[in-house]
Amino acid sequence: MMIKTETECCTIYSEDVEDAVVLEGSPGVGLIGNILGWLLVEDLKMREIGYIDSKYFPPLAVLYKGVAIHPFRIYEGDGIVLFLSDFILPLQLSMI
């Protein structure tokens, strides 16, 4: 069942998960967070359980194996929840 959670800066659409380790993989100065996040998704065969949307996110289209995917996704597998974005998070989000 998909749950919608609204906050001041964003809206989270995700399935409910309990007792999981939460990791975040977004690019910083380099792309290491995003690269390692994709490796986890592939190696652990994680499934996408949701995404995050915000008016502060840049307009961005992401294609994966020829299919459009959301640029900030949430994955789950083996007791791990991974927040994976394909863009550097805007600075104003850290101030909200």
Side-chain angles (χ1 to χ4, degrees):
M1 180 170 128
M2 197 64 88
I3 298 170
K4 178 181 176 182
T5 305
E6 293 189 62
T7 67
E8 189 176 326
C9 67
C10 62
T11 304
I12 303 169
Y13 301 89
S14 178
E15 294 178 15
D16 192 23
V17 177
E18 294 183 14
D19 299 325
V21 173
V22 177
L23 301 175
E24 185 266 334
S26 62
V29 175
L31 292 174
I32 193 68
N34 184 268
I35 292 169
L36 288 176
W38 275 111
L39 286 172
L40 283 173
V41 168
E42 295 290 324
D43 288 350
L44 298 178
K45 297 181 181 18
M46 298 177 90
R47 66 185 182 91
E48 186 174 343
I49 62 167
Y51 63 93
I52 300 176
D53 199 13
S54 173
K55 65 182 179 183
Y56 299 106
F57 292 171
L60 180 67
V62 179
L63 294 176
Y64 179 67
K65 296 183 179 181
V67 176
I69 59 175
H70 199 279
F72 199 133
R73 298 162 309 286
I74 305 170
Y75 293 94
E76 184 273 330
D78 291 341
I80 298 171
V81 171
L82 172 66
F83 290 81
L84 183 61
S85 72
D86 293 309
F87 57 90
I88 296 173
L89 295 175
L91 182 61
Q92 64 261 38
L93 288 180
S94 64
M95 296 182 204
I96 294 178

